[in-house]
Amino acid sequence: MNLDEFVNAHAPESGGETFQLENSKLLDVAVNGSVMAKAGSMVGYTGDISFERKSEGGLTGMLKKRATGEGTVMMQATGEGNLYLADQGKEVQILELSETDEISVNGNDVLAFEESVDWDIKMMNSIAGASSGGLFNVYLKGPGHIAITTHGKPLVVPTPVSTDPNATVAWSSDVSPNAKRDINIKGLLGRSSGETFQLEFAGEGGFVVIQPYEEFQPGQ
């Protein structure tokens, strides 16, 4: 295609929702006020938007040093314009939460959420030994839109289910995981594996979001 065709073919979509996908890996947020986003995820913006790195307050948990590296850091984008977000080429999933919807998301997999969404950072003491990736989780409660990221197309599995900690992205608020070790598997060398440590979601009626990829954290 010629240059004009290329420019027109890849121009941002106009109008639409506050959270919309420009493609499967790039989120377009129409900012009019403020929005929370993963620090380092901004790839571009138009309009008048300022950024503040959140280093204290409710997001302190995301800043705590882990034994294997730093926690995820969030930023607040404030102003008016269009904010373009992406995270290492991962697929972006947009979810709309009602007032009664609540979901727990691995801290590394939260891309953005609207200011109307209530959030809390919790340390998952029960699974800290299974995976540094699941050590801190973000609890998000609607109403509002959130965006999470996955390596590839996610699978949503009803509970009860056991999952690899490094492939577990999120789960419904009505279930809670416990770490389970399979001591019958011998001779696995190198990194920790989902075959030796699993997250066990024993409750019924919930769901777990998993991805076709093991996302190891630094130091694993």
Side-chain angles (χ1 to χ4, degrees):
M1 63 179 67
N2 63 38
L3 184 57
D4 287 339
E5 290 173 335
F6 176 82
V7 171
N8 292 331
H10 298 284
E13 298 287 340
S14 59
E17 302 290 335
T18 302
F19 278 31
Q20 67 177 4
L21 295 179
E22 291 295 343
N23 57 56
S24 65
K25 300 177 181 180
L26 201 156
L27 176 68
D28 180 351
V29 182
V31 179
N32 185 10
S34 65
V35 64
M36 297 300 301
K38 184 176 182 177
S41 63
M42 186 275 288
V43 296
Y45 69 91
T46 62
D48 184 13
I49 300 175
S50 61
F51 302 91
E52 180 184 0
R53 197 174 179 90
K54 304 302 289 186
S55 59
E56 55 188 11
L59 283 169
T60 302
M62 299 298 282
L63 305 174
K64 292 179 179 178
K65 289 184 178 180
R66 307 174 185 174
T68 55
E70 290 284 342
T72 300
V73 182
M74 302 296 286
M75 65 182 179
Q76 185 176 39
T78 304
E80 185 174 356
N82 284 80
L83 174 62
Y84 303 107
L85 303 173
D87 185 16
Q88 299 181 337
K90 295 164 67 175
E91 302 282 336
V92 180
Q93 318 294 334
I94 299 175
L95 307 176
E96 183 177 3
L97 303 182
S98 70
E99 291 185 0
T100 59
D101 288 335
E102 185 175 358
I103 189 171
S104 175
V105 185
N106 186 308
N108 194 49
D109 299 319
V110 177
L111 182 63
F113 52 89
E114 290 187 281
E115 60 181 336
S116 60
V117 173
D118 289 331
W119 48 267
D120 190 17
I121 306 299
K122 294 185 180 180
M123 181 175 180
M124 305 300 296
N125 292 314
S126 63
I127 63 175
S131 168
S132 64
L135 186 58
F136 290 99
N137 264 47
V138 185
Y139 284 74
L140 301 167
K141 186 178 187 302
H145 290 87
I146 68 172
I148 65 176
T149 56
T150 60
H151 285 278
K153 186 176 180 179
L155 181 68
V156 181
V157 185
T159 58
V161 64
S162 295
T163 66
D164 182 332
N166 294 304
T168 305
V169 175
W171 56 83
S172 57
S173 61
D174 51 357
V175 294
S176 182
N178 288 302
K180 182 177 71 172
R181 178 189 284 273
D182 191 337
I183 61 175
N184 294 319
I185 296 182
K186 306 292 185 181
L188 290 174
L189 302 177
R191 292 172 169 174
S192 60
S193 169
E195 285 76 36
T196 55
F197 260 126
Q198 299 110 41
L199 297 184
E200 183 179 35
F201 296 86
E204 296 187 356
F207 65 83
V208 180
V209 181
I210 57 177
Q211 61 186 359
Y213 183 91
E214 291 181 275
E215 190 168 6
F216 291 96
Q217 300 298 315
Q220 280 188 275

